[in-house]
Each structure stands twice: as C-alpha cells, then as structure tokens.
Amino acid sequence: MRPHGSPRNTWPVTVNVILLIGQTARVSLAGPFALLAEVTTGAVAEPRLGVVQELWATVKPPRFVSIGHDDD
C-alpha cells in the first residue's frame, strides 16, 4: 500500500542487499532507479526487513544525494 501524506518522492522498491555496519545498515533498493539507504539497525529489525521484500521508499529532497553518469 502506498504511504499516505504529502511526499512526492515516493517509489515502489525491492530490497536487494542489507549490509549491517555497527549501529547502521546500508540497504540497497531496486526500483525505477537504484537507491542506497543508510538507516539504523532498528529500522531494519523492527519491521523485519528482508531481501526481495517489496516496500515503498520515500525521501525528502534535502536528505539525498544524486550520483549520475553520462550516457555518451
């Protein structure tokens, strides 16, 4: 179910990889484009995130960095 609220930057994604690093986790997400989220381990444990799980990713514009490439 798509999240409620006003976020415009929301996409359906699938969890590819979860890498635990101390008190944080890097979560690789596949969707309309690849995303890499760095979250707390609690954010992974509480909802029991797992690889191939489908969910929604929502980001606030000042909270992400876009890294592109040239197609030339």
Side-chain angles (χ1 to χ4, degrees):
M1 174 186 282
R2 186 181 178 101
H4 297 288
S6 62
R8 288 177 237 169
N9 301 317
T10 301
W11 305 276
V13 294
T14 303
V15 177
N16 278 339
V17 176
I18 300 172
L19 178 61
L20 301 176
I21 305 168
Q23 297 297 312
T24 63
R26 288 193 183 143
V27 183
S28 173
L29 304 167
F33 49 88
L35 293 170
L36 181 64
E38 188 160 328
V39 298
T40 65
T41 54
V44 172
E46 185 176 325
R48 296 185 178 156
L49 285 185
V51 175
V52 303
Q53 183 174 356
E54 295 179 354
L55 46 93
W56 289 88
T58 301
V59 296
K60 295 179 181 180
R63 295 288 189 183
F64 71 92
V65 176
S66 175
I67 301 172
H69 61 81
D70 289 334
D71 290 331
D72 297 330

